[in-house]
Amino acid sequence: MNFTQSILIVEDHDFQRRVLARMLSALGARSVLDAANGRAAVALLEDGARPGLVICDLDMPEMDGMAFIRHLGKLLPDVPVIIASALDPALLGSVAKMADAYGVRLIGVLEKPVTRVHLAQLLAASDSSPRRARAAPPVPGFTLAEIEAGIANHEFIPFFQPKVDMKSGAVVGAEALARWKHPTHGIVAPYAFILTLEKANRIDALTFLMLEQAAHATRRLREAGLEVTMSVNLSTTSLADVTLADRVTGIVTGCGTDPKHMVQEITETAAMTALAPALENLSRLRMKGFGLSIDDYGTGFASLAQLARVPYTELKIDQGFITGCGEHPTAQVIVEASLALAHGLKLKAVAEGIETQADWDALKAMGCDLAQGYFIARPMDEAAFLAFCRTYAGGWCVS
Ligand code: C2E
Ligand code: MG
Ligand code: MG
């Protein structure tokens, strides 16, 4: 082992701190700093200590590991952390999520008593693992007026991400995801404009622009021999207007596409304030033949109450439970329960956020119907999607 950076141990137990320091030196650590609790460790960092790695206990007097990770996120967010703890896995899982939310990169958990083999493995991982991309890259701060001007100029286009049947491996559909082809910023992702439009109650123009392009693409793709069903995203804020379903149907049929070849994905991000008009719209969309999908199931307001009152045809399990679910027993239980619920209600279950072969294998073994995620393909423009479908031919994921 040859790592050149110094390591900071944050551990209240004198004996364990000494054992860990000795193991690290034996494994080739250049220098080892130690602190008996979070407060002492923060003081070291504020005095200018710049460790390349932190190994941190959770249960400590004065300032515990959770509070220390919060401080670390502010002081040195790029320094990787290993948690050394004997606490139960569910608690460690929630600490891992917390670290992520504070922007701290957690490399792993070292179970106590610490063994040299496990320590060496984690150190090797810390040497080689690149800094993971943050969930949300910096958002250019667009004003509502700028976004609306972009919509008026038709600068927004759909990118298509394939949805694959997990049994046959065939591409059976796509989700149309909005992208802003910005004249100076290039391709801009939805988080930079959706929320602004929703908050101002001005999302409809984008919804219709996307719907029209997605419906045209569906017709073209089907004419090219691809039997795809196209999913689009519908904001709940749009559902308050009782004319929505008819306008949506008019646009889709006007493009020469049958509503039964389209799915409306709905995420309930806020309590539906106008419940009656929302239910009127959703019932009418279903009656016209659209599929209805409950998006991001398991988060926010995407709840059992919604399932009971809306005629959904599909349940999309939130990617937060899917990515890495094979290694997270809690996520796996939640996914299994969601799949049972979906199948009990005769809905298609979609796993969104399949990033690895392990995710694919785990979801397939659990009986999930459809898969979507970076493991299959990222969202792409229409020409690339068509080319993808042609070359994918049955799929490389089927196992
Ligand atoms: P969503 O509907 O849940 O869409 C899935 C998001 O997950 C997409 O992000 C997609 O690129 C991303 N994704 C897919 N597979 C993976 C994966 O394996 N790993 C990871 N980490 N991410 C994956 P995107 O395109 O940035 O869209 C974000 C959200 O913006 C969408 O979430 C949807 O809620 C909203 N959105 C996108 N287009 C529209 C639109 O036309 N209208 C409305 N109202 N909302 C839209
Ligand atoms: Mg969606
Ligand atoms: Mg989703």
Side-chain angles (χ1 to χ4, degrees), residues 279-351:
L279 293 178
E280 181 179 339
N281 272 316
L282 293 170
S283 305
R284 188 167 296 128
L285 285 170
R286 184 71 200 105
M287 189 176 74
K288 300 287 184 192
F290 288 98
L292 295 181
S293 174
I294 181 165
D295 203 352
D296 301 340
Y297 184 75
T299 62
F301 291 84
S303 64
L304 294 170
Q306 265 213 81
L307 277 177
R309 65 190 176 206
V310 177
Y312 284 112
T313 55
E314 179 184 280
L315 182 149
K316 260 186 130 163
I317 306 169
D318 188 70
Q319 58 189 66
F321 302 111
I322 300 295
T323 313
C325 87
E327 300 103 65
H328 295 104
T330 309
Q332 200 164 335
V333 171
I334 291 170
V335 170
E336 272 170 354
S338 305
L339 289 172
L341 186 67
H343 292 150
L345 294 171
K346 309 253 182 306
L347 311 180
K348 284 258 185 240
V350 185

Side-chain angles (χ1 to χ4, degrees), residues 166-336:
M166 294 200 87
K167 282 207 188 86
S168 68
V171 179
V172 291
E175 177 172 8
L177 294 154
R179 294 292 182 268
W180 186 357
K181 257 181 128 173
H182 194 280
T184 49
H185 291 282
I187 300 288
V188 177
Y191 54 82
F193 50 85
I194 297 281
L195 216 62
T196 308
L197 290 168
E198 282 185 346
K199 274 194 191 144
N201 213 359
R202 303 296 294 254
I203 189 89
D204 285 4
L206 178 73
T207 305
F208 294 130
L209 184 56
M210 287 291 296
L211 188 67
E212 192 176 354
Q213 296 183 80
H216 275 303
T218 310
R219 193 200 64 243
R220 282 190 294 265
L221 292 164
R222 295 189 74 90
E223 281 168 0
L226 298 169
E227 297 204 351
V228 287
T229 299
M230 184 66 71
S231 299
V232 292
N233 292 282
L234 194 58
S235 290
T236 39
T237 50
S238 305
L239 293 171
D241 178 344
V242 289
T243 66
L244 181 89
D246 281 334
R247 286 185 290 150
V248 164
T249 309
I251 288 173
V252 169
T253 51
C255 295
T257 291
D258 189 330
K260 74 171 190 280
H261 296 137
M262 296 198 82
V263 175
Q264 302 286 336
E265 294 193 1
I266 296 123
T267 313
E268 202 173 333
T269 46
M272 272 194 217
T273 40
L275 182 63
L279 293 178
E280 181 179 339
N281 272 316
L282 293 170
S283 305
R284 188 167 296 128
L285 285 170
R286 184 71 200 105
M287 189 176 74
K288 300 287 184 192
F290 288 98
L292 295 181
S293 174
I294 181 165
D295 203 352
D296 301 340
Y297 184 75
T299 62
F301 291 84
S303 64
L304 294 170
Q306 265 213 81
L307 277 177
R309 65 190 176 206
V310 177
Y312 284 112
T313 55
E314 179 184 280
L315 182 149
K316 260 186 130 163
I317 306 169
D318 188 70
Q319 58 189 66
F321 302 111
I322 300 295
T323 313
C325 87
E327 300 103 65
H328 295 104
T330 309
Q332 200 164 335
V333 171
I334 291 170
V335 170
E336 272 170 354

Side-chain angles (χ1 to χ4, degrees), residues 10-223:
V10 193
E11 162 71 67
D12 61 316
H13 198 286
D14 283 344
F15 178 70
Q16 290 185 1
R17 205 166 59 235
R18 280 204 304 276
V19 169
L20 202 49
R22 227 175 294 135
M23 280 186 190
L24 287 168
S25 301
L27 287 167
R30 184 169 63 93
S31 67
V32 179
L33 289 165
D34 64 89
N37 61 56
R39 193 170 307 289
V42 168
L44 279 174
L45 299 180
E46 284 174 344
D47 279 350
R50 289 291 173 265
L53 173 72
V54 173
I55 300 180
C56 177
D57 185 17
L58 288 183
D59 195 3
M60 296 179 288
E62 285 195 58
M63 184 190 284
D64 65 20
M66 275 84 90
F68 171 67
I69 288 171
R70 165 162 44 82
H71 284 278
L72 188 69
K74 286 189 200 132
L75 291 166
L76 291 178
D78 286 328
V79 176
V81 174
I82 292 172
I83 288 177
S85 178
L87 297 174
D88 93 87
L91 174 55
L92 292 172
S94 90
V95 172
K97 293 224 163 51
M98 177 212 77
D100 193 49
Y102 280 132
V104 170
R105 181 165 60 118
L106 197 64
I107 292 171
V109 174
L110 203 50
E111 274 169 43
K112 288 181 173 179
V114 175
T115 68
R116 200 166 144 162
V117 173
H118 194 190
L119 181 60
Q121 274 170 359
L122 285 176
L123 292 175
S126 82
D127 266 358
S128 58
S129 73
R131 182 86 180 90
R132 182 168 42 74
R134 289 284 168 77
V139 181
F142 296 113
T143 64
L144 179 63
E146 287 169 330
I147 299 168
E148 293 201 300
I151 296 174
N153 281 337
H154 286 231
E155 289 167 10
F156 289 78
I157 56 159
F159 266 29
F160 302 97
Q161 189 177 32
K163 284 165 84 174
V164 166
D165 181 299
M166 294 200 87
K167 282 207 188 86
S168 68
V171 179
V172 291
E175 177 172 8
L177 294 154
R179 294 292 182 268
W180 186 357
K181 257 181 128 173
H182 194 280
T184 49
H185 291 282
I187 300 288
V188 177
Y191 54 82
F193 50 85
I194 297 281
L195 216 62
T196 308
L197 290 168
E198 282 185 346
K199 274 194 191 144
N201 213 359
R202 303 296 294 254
I203 189 89
D204 285 4
L206 178 73
T207 305
F208 294 130
L209 184 56
M210 287 291 296
L211 188 67
E212 192 176 354
Q213 296 183 80
H216 275 303
T218 310
R219 193 200 64 243
R220 282 190 294 265
L221 292 164
R222 295 189 74 90
E223 281 168 0

